Amino acid sequence: LLTFGAPYDATTSQSLPLRAYPQVKMAKYFGDIAKGCKDILSGGISYDNKFNVSTKVGGHSVKADIVSKGVDVTASATGTYAIAKDFTADCTVNEKGDVKGTMAHAGLVKGLRTTVSGEPANAAKTLKVANQFLHGPVGVKLDVSGVVSGAPKVDMSALWNVGQWSLGAETAVGKNGVANYALAAQTKIDDVVAAIVLADKLETLKASATYKLDSNTSLAAEAVYKLKSRDLKVCAGVATTLENGHAARAVLSSSGNAQVTYSGEVTKGLQGTACAQVDQALKYKYGLQFNYKM
């Protein structure tokens, strides 16, 4: 699978279908609040040059990635194995020979998925256990890391859907106590999805809205206000699907940056994305990503 800017799902190692606007559904987890706005304003935008190719061998998924960041080039290969129903394992090796393993199991308890990941050569620092639980209108995530190294950290979040509202909270607790926390709410009114997030220990206010203009085009805007410094930043964007099925997007920010992306099928099995940004000083950067599925 070779990816050029197509949206990507790391949990399945597959490209997501190209679309110009978010598929608005009730949020499942805290991170889903304002996701439609984030997808338009920043989702999938990268200024690295990437090449990804993937295929299936004996019913198992195999993929390879090459990433160029300026003069630095990194590479990795990943194999994903279906051990049993609802039980998968992946192994990733990078150009330095570092090995990372991941095992994920679902179905032990209805709605629960547990993922264990880490690098065998550095297990004390990298071992992490991530849990996500979905039951009716409630979604909970609980991640634990650093226990073996003596620097434990717990990241927790919860979301509750009530009518047309999604209400959520998250916190991070470390060795020295509570490191961070946030509250959020989202609602949908006709074709508008509005969200408010109080992040960074409730010191940053984020207000966003996404408007579905028609079946092909959506608009998004976000204002971020630092309560202590009184710093305000605003960002707005539009995303649309063209007649040829390709997707285009433009994003402007109050800092003077303009970003554009263009995604589409280059040839059968090959998806491509181009991203470019220019600032007030006319300095620019760009990135090309390709994803090829064999």
Side-chain angles (χ1 to χ4, degrees), residues 190-202:
D190 296 327
D191 291 325
V192 176
V193 177
I196 293 179
V197 180
L198 274 171
D200 304 326
K201 296 184 178 181
L202 311 185

Side-chain angles (χ1 to χ4, degrees), residues 74-122:
T74 60
S76 66
T78 301
T80 301
Y81 312 92
I83 299 171
K85 183 182 178 181
D86 298 325
F87 190 14
T88 61
D90 340 304
C91 180
T92 300
V93 182
N94 66 16
E95 82 285 355
K96 297 178 182 179
D98 298 328
V99 178
K100 180 179 179 179
T102 303
M103 290 189 296
H105 189 278
L108 187 64
V109 174
K110 186 178 180 180
L112 175 66
R113 180 180 176 85
T114 299
T115 303
V116 180
S117 61
E119 298 175 11
N122 192 17

